[in-house]
Structures are given as structure tokens and as C-alpha cells.
Amino acid sequence: MNTDAPWPDLDEAEQRVLGIQAKLHQWATDDPGRCFDDLYNLVADPAFLVVAWERVRGNRGARSAGVDGVKPGSIVFGKERFLTELRDDLKARRFQPMPVRERLIPKPGTTKRRRLGIPTARDRTIQAALLLVLEPIFEVDFQPCSYGFRPGRRAQDAIEEIRFFGARSYEWVLEGDIKSCFDEISHSALLERVRARIGDKRVLGLVKAFLKAGILSEDGVERNTVTGTPQGGILSPLLSNIALSVLDEHFAAAWAAMGNSHAREHRRRKGLANYRLVRYADDWVVLVAGDRADAERLREEAAAVLAPMGLRLSEEKTVVVHIDRGFDFLGMHIQRRLKAGTAKKYVYTYPSKKALRAACDKVRALTRRASQMTLDELLGRLNPVLRGWCNYHRHGSAKSTFGYLDHFTWRRVTRWLRQTHKGITWSALYRRFLNDEGRPAGGKVTLFQPQAVAITRYRYRGSRIPTPWSGVTLGSAV
């Protein structure tokens, strides 16, 4: 392609990228053993770089700078020059990633903090281009039981699969917790899995360079990265899924060996256990139709599968529970209970106490006294938090929880109003700041009402989840 040619606009670039991705996905599907040898030119293709850059700039992380101090959101008018220099460096094999800037951010609901790595704008763009090329290939090999950071898949799919099997006598649950998962993945083992599909040494060199780029900590100390994939990088979720797919493949093979539903029923009559893995990133459970001893045995089995990837299970957090006792997974509490007024048991999903506490903490933080804010500004910050939290949890039995959150938020906002306007009476507060329904309302914004959110059951999609490349018409060869 002519390097002096004008860069394609976003629509043209997206169409080209989608078409090439569809071909890569189809080729990988048609030949499960295919090793792709010529992908580097796609990473440096103008269309892939344009789409990658738009994703980097459109991401919330565009407001954060890497070690070079450049925020992606600040690069507006020099986009073509930025991409041209980046492409020239790729074509000349001069590109070298810089260390990621490390930030320690609090874990929700705990006093602990986790490491977040912030790559530079240049590195983020190349990582995004690599993701566009590699994702359609590796998606073919990923198992249906994996849901985290995959296109078209959601946390609700994982939660609903647990509810589906929990309602079918999969009563024992092995809750798995991998110790420092993103920090301890073996680079050599990970790259070996990447090589099974990618034969282009230039692409492999880029992946390895990002893994070995190093970290600049908050205290200014630079350290090497000998293991792990730093959280925060655009490529990290795909790489972690490639590493953790060893777990998926092991349990998927075991599930396939159990046969169809009739064969699994025959196994149960013979006293043998059936079991199925459900994974979302590094959060996973194994659902067991058997007894506690069967679930305990699977703990050792999972540990042995993860060991070659350099990963270990947390002894304290990897536990076996019965579904009647319930457990938390992805912000939901999943438990089998008697249905009110009946003798039948059903598996219910509720917003977990930890998730509710985190939402209340956000509301509490936003409604601390801040007289410089107007009511419209406060509601403009509160409403997205409430709306996003309720949309996530609206597929569970959350009506009473939404009512509690609604009342809690109303009290916090009215308290904020009374603190901001000293001496105001309740009658004046109602007249000036509440609408006819008693909701706090500014000139343009009204407080979001969690209690009014409708509860809808999420439909279990099983293995019928389409990819972004399903139905894409394939054109001429690349």
C-alpha cells in the first residue's frame, strides 16, 4: 500500500478491518491447526491503525498519560502525523514499547489496592491494532464456558449459566480464586500457546516486547516484568484469556467426555459426578452434580492444570460451598431458596451485599458537602452511577435492593441540600428543589429513580452467542 496515500476515514477503515477480521476468523475455523505466518503487515495497515487509534481515543483511559506524559485525548490535530510516524517505525522495525506507568487503585469493598498499568499513547495504539488482528483468530479456539473480555459476551451470560445448571441438580460449587493471576502468568508458557496459532515472528516479537516492557512504579522505580500481563493494557485481557484457556480446555474436554444429557444421567445413577466450568476472566466456578468430595477433588485437579502457566490457587479463597448456602459471583449473590408460599426450591440471583455497599459508598462520596457544586452538577454525576448499577443488576431479584438504594440516595441528596443551604426548612426545600413526585430536581436534571427500574429475566444463550464476524460477507482474498 502506498505510504503517501491519504489515510482512510473511519467508516472506510472499519469496513476494511471487519472484512479482514471475518476472513481471519473463517480461515481459523476451517483449519483448527492453521498457524498464521503473515500478519505483521496487517498490524501496520493504515485501516487497522485508524480503527485502533479511534478506540484508544474513545476509551475512558484517553484522559490518562503514560510515562511519556502524553494523553491520547490531547492528540487531536496531529493525528495523521502521529499515525504516520507510528507506521513508519513499525515498517522499519524500530518500534519498541516503553514501560507502563503503574498506579495503585483501591479494590471495591476492601482496603486492598491493585496494580493498574498505563501504557503510552503509542503503545496503546499498537496494542489495539494487535488485538484487532489476533482476536478473531483466537476466538475460534476459546471455549463457550469463558465469558470475560470476549466480544458479544457479558457477565450476565456467565451468571445465567450458573443459575441454569444450579437449577438442574448441580448443587456443589467450587469457587476458584487464582493468586495474583495477572502478575504471575509465565511468559514462556503464554508465548508457547500464542505460537500454536501465530507463526509470524515479527508479531510474536511485538507480543513479547509488550510483556517485557517493564513497569515504572509510583515511587519512580523502574522494574522488569519477568511474569504477568499488566492490567490496564489493551492487549492484556486477550493474553490472559489465552493463558487461562488451559483451564477451559481441560474442563471442556471432561464435559464432552461425559456425553449428552442421557449419558450424564446414566453417570449419576452409577454414582459418578458431572461437572462444568464457568469462567469470567480470572473469576471462575465449577458446578458439580455429585457430592462435596467430588468438588474437593476438582480443586486439586484445577491446581495441577494451572501450574504449568505459573499460576497458583489461593488456599484461603478457593472454597467449596453448597448452592443452598449461596455464594457471590460477579457482583451477584446466587442461592437456591424456597419460593415464597411453596415447597419448591428455585435458584435466585440477588445483588450482593458487597456490590450494594460499593454503590452506597459512591453515592456517599459524591454527596459529601460540596457547596461549589450546583444540584444539576451533583445529579449529573449521581445519575450515571445509579443507572449503570441498576442496569447491571436488573436481571436478578433486585426490586427490594433497588428500593433501598433509591431511599438511601434520596436521603443523601436531601441531606446535601440542607447542608448546602443552611437553615432551609423542609417546606422550602420541597418547594425549591423537589418536583411534584418528591424527587430532587435541578433546572434540567431529575434524580434517577432505581425503584422504577423494571426487573427482566436474562435469557440463557448457551453456546448460541454470535461473534462480531457472524454473517459478514467475505470479499476477495486479503
Side-chain angles (χ1 to χ4, degrees):
M1 184 172 278
N2 183 6
T3 57
D4 296 325
W7 287 82
D9 62 35
L10 183 58
D11 290 339
E12 180 186 348
E14 286 180 335
Q15 286 299 315
R16 173 171 167 77
V17 168
L18 182 61
I20 294 175
Q21 285 183 318
K23 290 173 184 176
L24 293 172
H25 187 72
Q26 188 62 53
W27 293 338
T29 303
D30 293 341
D31 184 359
R34 178 168 182 167
C35 190
F36 290 79
D37 292 321
D38 189 12
L39 297 175
Y40 190 78
N41 289 334
L42 290 180
V43 178
D45 186 285
F48 278 78
L49 290 175
V50 166
V51 174
W53 172 243
E54 289 300 324
R55 292 190 179 182
V56 168
R57 281 200 70 239
N59 192 289
R60 188 172 61 178
R63 297 173 292 182
S64 301
V67 294
D68 60 353
V70 178
K71 299 178 182 178
S74 67
I75 303 174
V76 179
F77 301 108
K79 181 186 81 170
E80 288 196 7
R81 179 183 174 185
F82 172 81
L83 292 179
T84 299
E85 292 177 353
L86 201 53
R87 184 168 189 262
D88 290 344
D89 286 346
L90 280 172
K91 299 292 282 185
R93 306 287 299 277
R94 291 191 301 262
F95 176 80
Q96 284 294 328
M98 299 180 70
V100 299
R101 181 168 71 89
E102 184 181 74
R103 285 190 61 194
L104 298 177
I105 61 175
K107 284 188 175 182
T110 70
T111 57
K112 296 181 179 178
R113 297 196 293 173
R114 66 181 178 90
R115 292 185 173 92
L116 178 69
I118 305 174
T120 64
R122 285 168 53 87
D123 293 352
R124 273 181 259 186
T125 305
I126 300 302
Q127 285 194 34
L130 269 172
L131 181 67
L132 290 171
V133 174
L134 299 179
E135 188 173 56
I137 296 171
F138 284 99
E139 268 296 312
V140 174
D141 301 328
F142 290 157
Q143 300 296 323
C145 62
S146 165
Y147 294 98
F149 303 112
R150 293 181 59 190
R153 291 169 170 258
R154 313 180 187 101
Q156 284 79 9
D157 288 311
I159 294 165
E160 189 59 22
E161 179 160 333
I162 293 172
R163 194 199 66 80
F164 179 86
F165 282 95
R168 286 159 177 78
S169 300
Y170 286 73
E171 300 178 343
W172 288 99
V173 181
L174 170 64
E175 290 185 81
D177 184 273
I178 301 173
K179 198 167 187 177
S180 303
C181 176
F182 293 97
D183 297 330
E184 296 191 0
I185 294 174
S186 166
H187 288 174
S188 59
L190 172 58
L191 288 169
E192 190 63 31
R193 293 187 68 80
V194 175
R195 288 190 192 97
R197 274 297 199 177
I198 310 301
D200 192 325
K201 292 184 178 180
R202 296 166 297 177
V203 172
L204 291 170
L206 272 180
V207 174
K208 184 175 181 179
F210 280 119
L211 290 173
K212 302 291 187 182
I215 294 173
L216 182 66
S217 61
E218 288 185 330
D219 56 6
V221 176
E222 186 174 337
R223 64 178 188 273
N224 296 327
T225 46
V226 293
T227 60
T229 60
Q231 293 187 67
I234 293 173
L235 196 59
S236 293
L238 175 64
L239 295 179
S240 62
N241 267 335
I242 293 172
L244 291 173
S245 61
V246 295
L247 196 65
D248 306 339
E249 291 165 4
H250 174 83
F251 281 99
W255 176 258
M258 294 171 201
N260 59 21
S261 58
H262 297 294
R264 292 194 296 271
E265 185 178 337
H266 182 64
R267 283 173 55 88
R268 290 299 299 127
R269 286 198 296 267
K270 292 172 62 177
L272 300 174
N274 297 320
Y275 48 91
R276 184 175 177 89
L277 172 76
V278 179
R279 183 177 69 82
Y280 189 94
D282 61 331
D283 292 316
W284 56 276
V285 297
V286 180
L287 307 168
V288 183
D291 54 31
R292 186 183 186 97
D294 295 317
E296 293 285 0
R297 175 180 57 81
L298 291 173
R299 184 210 304 258
E300 304 305 319
E301 197 171 305
V305 171
L306 290 169
M309 293 303 306
L311 299 173
R312 303 168 293 155
L313 294 181
S314 168
E315 293 294 331
E316 306 80 26
K317 296 180 181 179
T318 301
V319 295
V320 173
V321 297
H322 196 275
I323 200 165
D324 287 349
R325 177 184 170 190
F327 61 97
D328 290 351
F329 187 71
L330 301 180
M332 301 296 287
H333 183 73
I334 305 171
Q335 186 174 10
R336 188 172 65 181
R337 293 183 177 182
L338 286 173
K339 184 178 180 180
T342 72
K344 293 184 177 180
K345 286 186 174 183
Y346 292 88
V347 178
Y348 293 96
T349 59
Y350 308 89
S352 69
K353 292 181 179 178
K354 182 178 177 180
L356 177 60
R357 186 162 55 247
C360 290
D361 287 344
K362 288 182 180 178
V363 172
R364 193 177 286 112
L366 287 170
T367 52
R368 290 196 177 98
R369 184 179 177 185
S371 57
Q372 69 273 17
M373 271 200 303
T374 66
L375 180 58
D376 270 337
E377 290 171 338
L378 174 65
L379 298 182
R381 296 183 184 184
L382 269 177
N383 284 355
V385 172
L386 297 172
R387 187 178 293 109
W389 195 88
C390 292
N391 282 340
Y392 180 86
H393 290 93
R394 66 189 171 94
H395 302 297
S397 301
K399 200 65 180 177
S400 60
T401 307
F402 286 174
Y404 175 86
L405 182 61
D406 195 345
H407 182 61
F408 175 83
T409 306
W410 187 92
R411 285 190 295 108
R412 291 292 306 183
V413 173
T414 53
R415 180 186 176 190
W416 178 88
L417 285 168
R418 297 191 73 192
Q419 288 179 334
T420 304
H421 303 275
K422 290 293 186 182
I424 190 171
T425 63
W426 275 105
S427 60
L429 186 143
Y430 268 86
R431 185 176 65 253
R432 292 177 56 187
F433 299 109
L434 305 187
N435 62 15
D436 294 339
E437 298 175 350
R439 307 291 300 173
K444 300 178 181 178
V445 188
T446 301
L447 179 64
F448 180 79
Q449 189 171 5
Q451 200 164 16
V453 175
I455 304 298
T456 57
R457 170 59 64 193
Y458 191 84
R459 181 176 295 179
Y460 174 54
R461 299 191 289 169
S463 58
R464 302 182 302 276
I465 302 175
T467 71
W469 313 286
S470 302
V472 176
T473 304
L474 301 181
S476 58
V478 178

